[in-house]
């Protein structure tokens, strides 16, 4: 019996049925995108992600192929030693508001449940359980402070300072029984002085509707309270072996000076920068000469602006200045008479040289 020929089986063949035909795959475009170096053109590319600098660099030639690479690795560092409370702050979520108390990481339930009303009840129950009265009171006070400062068009740092001062009073539980409007008016008044944009008692009264007498009382009480709080805090730092930072200490405010008011009044009157500088220097010299000793800063600033405006050829009437400064035009003229009598001592020759000003243009009254 003859031996049968040996059959060699190839991949994809079945004994007795021959070679199976492979179906041809239809052509399709390769959509896989790869970043390669345009200089080396190596494949596969030798790319290195430098998370410290946020760059993607070619490992062969050093060409930077991308920037602002996001580090998706785990965060293994801890910041517990940097926190005052010695607790590790979370690296996610919104930053904590230093003007509020508590963790401030709360869940808010929305109203959109299709109109069944269940979400509204859950929202109300959640607000009652999480929102305390102290936080609600602070938020209401902050809202009022922000609205008053916006009505005054003063910088945001004044509003933030006033809110910080109010929080110090609220945390200490001081001034029980005092009107909150009076405390807010006092905090705004002190914040304006600390931020070098002082306002007068009359202006604070016109804004907050708190009487000038009450503003003066609460201002003195707040000054004593903040000074005592600052001394107690600094003593605690020294006793614990720390170093006192002079920038963190509370500095008692001083009375408003006439030269500080000249800038704002001249700006409202539309006077030039040269006239503003002359009025400021005039107010500074006036205090050294003592020509208006005992006068209020309002009338002194108004008289200096009245004199400087005519000296620099931009004369403003006493009635125009009185509408801005809030003093009567008769008071301005009376104060100006004292300045006019001392004009030789007060006026610097550099102000009028080369025709910049004319001392002869000053009105006698």
């Amino acid at each position: 019996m003859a031996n049968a020929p040996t059959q060699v089986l190839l991949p994809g063949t079945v004994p007795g049925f021959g070679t199976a035909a492979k179906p041809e795959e239809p052509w399709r475009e390769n959509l896989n995108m790869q970043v390669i170096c345009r200089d080396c053109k190596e494949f596969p590319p030798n790319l290195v992600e430098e998370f410290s600098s946020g760059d993607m660099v070619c490992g062969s030639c050093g060409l930077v192929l991308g920037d602002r690479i996001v580090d998706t690795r785990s965060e293994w560092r801890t910041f517990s030693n940097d926190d005052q409370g010695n607790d590790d702050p979370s690296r996610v979520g919104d930053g904590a508001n230093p003007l509020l108390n508590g963790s401030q990481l709360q869940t808010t339930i929305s109203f959109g449940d299709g109109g069944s009303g269940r979400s509204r009840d859950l929202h109300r129950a959640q607000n009652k359980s999480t929102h305390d009265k102290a936080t609600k009171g602070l938020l209401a006070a902050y809202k009022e402070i922000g609205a008053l400062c916006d009505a005054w068009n003063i910088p945001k740092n004044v509003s933030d300072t006033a809110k910080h001062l109010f929080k110090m009073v609220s945390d200490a539980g001081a001034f029980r029984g005092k009107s909150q409007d009076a405390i807010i008016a006092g905090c705004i008044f002190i914040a304006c002085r600390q931020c070098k944009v002082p306002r007068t008692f009359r202006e604070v009264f016109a804004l907050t509707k708190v009487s000038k007498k009450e503003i003066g009382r609460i201002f003195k009480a707040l000054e004593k309270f903040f000074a005592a709080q600052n001394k107690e805090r600094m003593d605690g730092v020294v006793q614990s072996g720390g170093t006192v930072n002079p920038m963190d200490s509370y500095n008692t405010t001083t009375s408003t000076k006439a030269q500080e008011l000249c800038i704002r009044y001249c700006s409202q009157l539309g006077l030039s920068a040269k006239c503003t500088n002359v009025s400021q220097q005039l107010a500074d010299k006036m205090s050294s000469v003592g020509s208006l000793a005992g006068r209020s800063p309002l009338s002194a600033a108004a008289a200096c602006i009245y004199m400087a405006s005519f000296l620099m050829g931009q004369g403003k009437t006493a009635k125009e200045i009185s509408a801005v400064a809030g003093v009567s035009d008769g008071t301005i003229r009376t104060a100006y008479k004292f300045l006019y009598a001392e004009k030789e001592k007060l006026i610097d020759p550099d102000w009028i040289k080369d025709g910049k000003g004319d001392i002869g243009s000053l009105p006698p009254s």
Side-chain angles (χ1 to χ4, degrees):
M1 183 177 179
N3 294 331
T6 304
Q7 184 179 7
V8 180
L9 297 178
L10 297 176
T13 59
V14 181
F17 293 96
T19 304
K22 294 183 179 180
E24 294 184 0
E25 295 182 0
W27 181 87
R28 59 183 179 181
E29 184 180 0
N30 185 8
L31 298 178
N32 294 327
M33 299 180 63
Q34 290 185 343
V35 179
I36 63 174
C37 179
R38 61 174 177 267
D39 290 348
C40 301
K41 297 182 180 179
E42 294 182 348
F43 189 83
N46 180 21
L47 302 181
V48 179
E49 293 182 351
E50 295 183 353
F51 293 107
S52 59
S53 59
D55 298 332
M56 181 180 290
V57 186
C58 176
S60 301
C61 66
L63 179 67
V64 179
L65 302 178
D67 56 355
R68 301 195 178 187
I69 304 299
V70 179
D71 189 356
T72 58
R73 300 174 298 174
S74 300
E75 181 64 76
W76 297 108
R77 294 182 296 169
T78 178
F79 295 88
S80 58
N81 295 330
D82 298 338
D83 192 65
Q84 295 180 357
N86 218 17
D87 55 343
D88 190 5
S90 175
R91 299 304 307 280
V92 296
D94 193 10
N97 189 353
L99 297 175
L100 296 178
N101 299 320
S103 60
Q104 305 171 27
L105 297 177
Q106 299 169 352
T107 302
T108 303
I109 300 176
S110 65
F111 288 97
D113 60 346
S116 64
R118 234 175 242 183
S119 176
R120 181 182 59 186
D121 297 338
L122 289 173
H123 180 81
R124 186 178 301 169
Q126 191 258 354
N127 282 341
K128 288 182 179 180
S129 62
T130 56
H131 293 177
D132 56 344
K133 292 183 179 180
T135 303
K136 287 184 179 179
L138 284 175
L139 290 175
Y142 294 161
K143 185 177 180 181
E144 185 175 355
I145 291 173
L148 292 174
C149 293
D150 290 342
W152 238 348
N153 292 326
I154 55 180
K156 187 177 181 299
N157 63 331
V158 178
S159 175
D160 294 339
T161 304
K163 292 176 182 178
H164 175 67
L165 295 175
F166 184 86
K167 185 176 184 299
M168 292 175 62
V169 176
S170 177
D171 291 345
F175 302 101
R176 297 284 185 182
K178 285 286 186 180
S179 172
Q180 181 171 306
D181 295 337
I183 298 176
I184 289 176
C187 290
I188 293 177
F189 182 81
I190 295 175
C192 288
R193 283 192 172 184
Q194 286 190 341
C195 297
K196 306 302 181 184
V197 285
R199 296 295 189 272
T200 61
F201 286 114
R202 187 178 301 171
E203 291 174 312
V204 178
F205 161 70
L207 179 71
T208 61
K209 305 305 178 184
V210 180
S211 64
K212 293 187 290 183
K213 190 175 183 180
E214 184 64 24
I215 295 174
R217 288 177 180 174
I218 198 67
F219 162 68
K220 292 180 180 179
L222 286 173
E223 285 273 77
K224 292 180 181 179
F225 169 75
F226 292 140
Q229 287 278 345
N230 179 71
K231 185 176 183 304
E232 183 180 350
R233 184 166 57 89
M234 292 301 174
D235 291 343
V237 172
V238 173
Q239 290 177 4
S240 61
T243 304
V244 176
N245 186 4
M247 299 299 294
D248 295 337
S249 61
Y250 176 81
N251 298 321
T252 305
T253 59
T254 57
S255 59
T256 304
K257 299 179 180 179
Q259 53 263 35
E260 295 176 346
L261 299 173
C262 289
I263 302 176
R264 183 157 51 91
Y265 292 162
C266 289
S267 176
Q268 294 176 1
L269 289 168
L271 297 175
S272 63
K274 179 63 177 176
C275 186
T276 304
N277 293 333
V278 170
S279 63
Q280 282 186 285
Q281 297 178 29
L282 193 62
D284 190 21
K285 278 192 170 185
M286 171 202 66
S287 59
S288 61
V289 174
S291 54
L292 290 181
R295 293 276 178 175
S296 69
L298 287 174
S299 58
C304 291
I305 294 174
Y306 183 74
M307 187 175 191
S309 63
F310 281 98
L311 182 66
M312 306 308 295
Q314 305 175 27
K316 296 289 181 181
T317 63
K319 193 172 183 180
E320 292 176 318
I321 300 176
S322 67
V324 173
V327 294
S328 63
D329 51 350
T331 305
I332 297 175
R333 290 193 182 95
T334 303
Y336 169 73
K337 289 180 181 179
F338 292 98
L339 296 181
Y340 186 79
E342 302 287 344
K343 61 181 180 179
E344 302 296 337
K345 297 180 182 179
L346 294 175
I347 297 177
D348 193 339
D350 293 336
W351 299 348
I352 57 176
K353 71 177 182 180
D354 300 332
K356 296 178 182 178
D358 183 15
I359 194 172
S361 61
L362 293 176
S365 61

